[in-house]
Amino acid sequence: MTQYLLSVPGSVDDEMPSDDVIQEMFATVEKFNQKVRNAGKWVFAGGLEPIATATTVDATGDSPTVTDGPFSEAKEYLGGFWVIEAADLDEALQWAKEGSAACGGPVEVRPFAGEA
């Protein structure tokens, strides 16, 4: 089995959905999560707070720096993710299709290094 990251990108240009839409998406995603668990493919998953809550730590110099904000100034950011076990890329892509439908957004699929 190979572990894959199924990531859900977001954009600062995305409109915030209504509370009703968000609650429906949470319910749909939880059903998908349970299906992944039942299939024995679940490793872990999580949704992330908005990019504005990020803090960047850089300890590569003489003294660490801590900066409010994301490392990248890009408009796109990671909104959430699943880490799953899959037999191959085709299976991971099938799970990504279901995850995309569940969360209402695109899903990027990447194997972990040294796993593919």
Side-chain angles (χ1 to χ4, degrees):
M1 288 281 189
T2 300
Q3 290 190 343
Y4 289 87
L5 174 67
L6 309 182
S7 58
V8 181
S11 171
V12 295
D13 294 332
D14 291 344
E15 286 188 35
M16 180 61 83
S18 69
D19 286 343
D20 289 344
V21 170
I22 290 173
Q23 292 308 313
E24 183 177 331
M25 184 211 34
F26 285 168
T28 305
V29 167
E30 183 50 35
K31 286 180 186 174
F32 171 71
N33 291 346
Q34 193 57 51
K35 184 174 180 178
V36 176
R37 287 184 193 102
N38 292 345
K41 306 298 181 176
W42 179 269
V43 178
F44 69 97
L48 300 173
E49 293 293 332
I51 192 72
T53 66
T55 303
T56 301
V57 177
D58 184 356
T60 59
D62 292 336
S63 63
T65 60
V66 179
T67 308
D68 289 339
F71 170 73
S72 171
E73 295 296 327
K75 295 175 101 178
E76 291 78 24
Y77 58 87
L78 180 62
F81 61 89
W82 292 273
V83 177
I84 66 166
E85 298 267 359
D88 53 32
L89 179 60
D90 289 338
E91 182 184 2
L93 293 174
Q94 185 58 42
W95 285 113
K97 290 174 187 173
E98 293 187 44
S100 175
C103 73
V107 172
E108 178 183 281
V109 178
R110 294 175 66 184
F112 279 82
E115 298 252 343

